Amino acid sequence: MIHLQKIRKSYPSEADSGPVLDFEDWRVETGGQVALIGESGSGKTTLLNLLSGLIQPDSGVVSVEGSDLAQLSEAQRDRFRADNIGYVFQSFHLLDGYSVKENVELGAVFAKRHAEPGRAEHLLEAVGLGHRLQHTPRQLSVGQQARVAFARALVNRPKLLLADEPTGALDHESGRQVLDLLLSTARSSGITVVCATHDMDVAAAFENTVRVEEMQ
Ligand SMILES: Nc1ncnc2c1ncn2[C@@H]1O[C@H](COP(=O)(O)OP(=O)(O)OP(=O)(O)O)[C@@H](O)[C@H]1O
Ligand SMILES: [Mg+2]
């Protein structure tokens, strides 16, 4: 479960304009699927980064899977993130010097975990890329790259999947396919999903939608 309490977050360089996020209480139950919507600059990415422990709030408690992230040392937070959280970035952050299969395996390497034998292949088959294991990301379509990023986010069996505009670079049809895959995989594994999006069609596929401006 995710539970955020009395959160304030501002950036020093933007302090004049007040906090980006300022809200009392927000929860997402385990296995919940939430779309985060809001204007550009409203704080969607900031909220995802708070949930992953990549940044800290000025005040308030960020609790993920029962851990208060502020109580962890930086090393413990890194460990927590590696063990519990998968992140799909808008621009996917795939490495071109490596094959598709290696890109997925690197998700385990960066988390300092032993890659489970066959896990990367299994995930890539599940996302329809079993025939592209030795390609490099540049040799794939953008929709296929999104699916590699998604497979990499699942390689460590996360409990929470965070996605920042995962379909932003895709056309409607391939965006829909990636989204359906993401939601059905998460549902069958009980993974909690929080996904930032501008696209109301994308948001409509989620159980719940939260407008960041209305959290305040
Ligand atoms: N590292 C940073 N330093 C200073 N200000 C920042 C930083 N990151 C974000 N901001 C500011 O915080 C606000 C929220 O940014 P954020 O990236 O969370 O918005 P967003 O909702 O994800 O927008 P978009 O839809 O364009 O991705 C913006 O005003 C932005 O300028
Ligand atoms: Mg953003």
Side-chain angles (χ1 to χ4, degrees), residues 58-104:
D58 309 336
S59 59
V61 178
V62 178
S63 162
V64 178
E65 294 296 324
S67 291
D68 175 350
L69 299 189
Q71 300 301 316
L72 304 179
S73 68
E74 206 167 323
Q76 286 171 326
R77 257 198 308 276
D78 288 347
R79 188 72 259 149
F80 180 84
R81 190 180 312 117
D83 289 341
N84 292 282
I85 297 177
Y87 208 123
V88 182
F89 298 94
Q90 176 166 18
S91 49
F92 311 138
H93 293 193
L94 300 175
L95 298 177
D96 237 317
Y98 297 88
S99 71
V100 160
K101 176 166 167 274
E102 287 165 341
N103 265 275
V104 174

Side-chain angles (χ1 to χ4, degrees), residues 165-188:
E165 305 271 3
T167 60
L170 308 186
D171 63 48
H172 191 267
E173 186 51 35
S174 45
R176 188 76 226 182
Q177 285 171 6
V178 170
L179 183 70
D180 287 347
L181 185 69
L182 189 150
L183 291 175
S184 61
T185 307
R187 195 170 291 125
S188 62

Side-chain angles (χ1 to χ4, degrees), residues 9-15 17-21 36-49 55 90 164-165 196-198 212-213:
K9 173 65 188 170
S10 50
Y11 293 102
S13 59
E14 310 249 321
S17 46
V20 175
L21 295 173
L36 277 184
I37 58 171
E39 297 299 313
S40 181
S42 59
K44 301 180 295 298
T45 298
T46 300
L47 184 53
L48 293 177
N49 288 338
I55 60 173
Q90 176 166 18
D164 200 353
E165 305 271 3
T197 183
H198 279 109
V212 175
E213 294 94 336

